[in-house]
Amino acid sequence: MAGRYKSPLRWSDVTPRETYLNRRSFMAAAGAAAAVGGIGGPLQAQEALEPNTFEEITSYNNFYEFGTGKDDPKRYAGQLTTDPWAIEVDGLVERPGTYDIADVIAGKTIEERIYRFRCVEAWSMVIPWNGFELADFLEQVGVQPSAKYVAFETLVRPEEMPGVRFPVLEWPYREGLRLDEAMHPLTMMATGLYGEDMPNQNGAPIRLVVPWKYGFKSIKSIVRMTLTEDEPPTSWNMSQPREYGFYSNVNPTVDHPRWSQATERRIGGGLFAGREPTLMFNGYEEEVAGLYTGMDLTEFF
Ligand SMILES: Nc1nc2c(c(=O)[nH]1)N[C@H]1C(S)=C(S)[C@@H](COP(=O)(O)O)O[C@H]1N2
Ligand SMILES: [Mo]
């Protein structure tokens, strides 16, 4: 995988050294303002964007194809062959077929995006992803007018994935988005992090990132995408329909049946030494709330 693409943006490019060095005083000021009720969501959201370390992001993972322990993906995903890799695109598209991932990436502008990432289990990280907008790939394959959803599937390769011997989920791992969610500019196909090719445990060589939804929607190691007219079945919803909805937008006011979603534990400690408040749509409310106008967010969870 090494050297498959060069990321034009590095962490050092997006965080001017001066800003970085001044962060502490900025945080202190933000904290003081917050104490007198002087700031709202955006500044709070902004202040949280101190990325987790590469080590944290790559050693505490959910990737059940390699086991259900948080350290299983790091331990076992190294054996996954990720080159060559292709995505099968079918369903309601103009140009169905097998898309070699190296060719897909070569035609895209790879950007760095620093996003909050919130697992439904109530832990979170901040991750500097590299990748391109899913909309760019959908444009490449040509979406037919009748398509309303995109379904995604992960590879199933028992020789390299020890976890798929156990029926924890029905394999392949499946996810899906409504077409307007898939076309939203925040929705990414991620091909790396911290300017490196995607580590296997994080979903090499290509995975979805939908920052306003619970982490399980961000399906890893994608081998198939299908454009459909009907809402596609999704793994966690199939397994526990009362606990995991199709939408699964981050919402601090709707608790999981077995735990609260009001707060989260930032891996590595974060800025608040302890749990911090979970933000509506994971802090992306301004950008995405319009997608759900008129929907009862407690019913469509
Ligand atoms: N194929 C596949 N994709 C997956 C998962 C999985 O088990 N298999 N776990 C999901 C869950 S629950 C989370 S929280 C994120 C974790 O991503 P990370 O390990 O890169 O932080 O991946 C999601 N994508
Ligand atoms: Mo998760």
Side-chain angles (χ1 to χ4, degrees):
M1 285 301 296
R4 179 164 274 162
Y5 69 86
K6 285 263 179 290
S7 168
L9 287 175
R10 308 303 292 246
W11 173 234
S12 52
D13 296 320
V14 297
T15 307
R17 189 176 156 74
E18 211 182 313
T19 314
Y20 194 81
L21 294 174
N22 283 337
R23 214 193 117 255
R24 257 173 210 292
S25 43
F26 170 70
M27 290 311 160
V36 296
I39 62 165
L43 185 50
Q44 181 191 19
Q46 197 52 47
E47 128 186 60
L49 292 184
E50 171 78 351
N52 281 87
T53 65
F54 185 84
E55 179 63 22
E56 287 161 351
I57 296 166
T58 57
S59 52
Y60 187 92
N61 301 99
N62 276 334
F63 199 165
Y64 278 17
E65 287 85 339
F66 296 97
T68 54
K70 293 288 182 275
D71 53 353
D72 285 335
K74 182 180 181 161
R75 191 173 304 150
Y76 300 116
Q79 64 201 46
L80 180 68
T81 308
T82 59
D83 192 4
W85 192 278
I87 300 181
E88 196 68 38
V89 181
D90 56 12
L92 303 169
V93 285
E94 305 293 347
R95 291 172 287 280
T98 305
Y99 287 76
D100 184 83
I101 201 63
D103 298 339
V104 172
I105 291 173
K108 304 286 179 297
T109 304
I110 302 296
E111 310 174 46
E112 180 168 72
R113 301 262 187 103
I114 301 165
Y115 282 162
R116 283 177 221 87
F117 189 89
R118 171 47 160 94
C119 175
V120 75
E121 299 163 334
W123 55 265
S124 64
M125 297 204 204
V126 173
I127 304 182
W129 303 106
N130 304 97
F132 52 87
E133 292 180 13
L134 173 58
D136 290 346
F137 185 57
L138 291 175
E139 193 178 306
Q140 181 180 350
V141 301
V143 177
Q144 291 183 12
S146 54
K148 293 193 180 64
Y149 296 88
V150 191
F152 303 83
E153 284 181 20
T154 295
L155 175 76
V156 185
R157 191 183 285 155
E159 321 86 85
E160 294 182 350
M161 295 173 146
V164 303
R165 276 176 276 154
F166 306 98
V168 246
L169 288 172
E170 209 181 292
W171 313 109
Y173 193 102
R174 290 161 216 258
E175 259 310 332
L177 295 173
R178 216 170 56 192
L179 190 60
D180 57 346
E181 299 176 320
M183 295 295 287
H184 194 280
L186 285 176
T187 304
M188 274 182 100
M189 290 290 265
T191 54
L193 55 89
Y194 269 112
E196 310 267 347
D197 285 333
M198 189 65 77
N200 285 5
Q201 58 267 47
N202 295 88
I206 191 158
R207 58 96 52 92
L208 187 68
V209 175
V210 194
W212 70 94
K213 292 178 179 285
Y214 290 119
F216 67 86
K217 298 292 295 182
S218 292
I219 183 173
K220 296 176 169 182
S221 304
I222 296 166
V223 291
R224 186 168 176 211
M225 287 173 50
T226 309
L227 278 288
T228 65
E229 200 163 346
D230 299 320
E231 186 184 291
T234 56
S235 290
W236 281 104
N237 180 251
M238 284 156 71
S239 132
Q240 310 276 359
R242 271 173 297 276
E243 300 193 356
Y244 308 105
F246 176 81
Y247 286 92
S248 288
N249 294 315
V250 175
N251 187 341
T253 70
V254 177
D255 287 341
H256 184 279
R258 293 183 279 132
W259 58 83
S260 165
Q261 294 291 27
T263 63
E264 62 199 54
R265 174 175 62 93
R266 176 65 48 82
I267 301 300
L271 296 165
F272 306 80
R275 297 185 76 88
E276 49 195 276
T278 288
L279 305 173
M280 187 63 193
F281 292 110
N282 204 27
Y284 303 97
E285 181 169 18
E286 210 172 296
E287 290 90 340
V288 302
L291 295 171
Y292 309 103
T293 310
M295 269 177 75
D296 178 350
L297 296 173
T298 63
E299 189 188 337
F300 292 90
F301 65 95

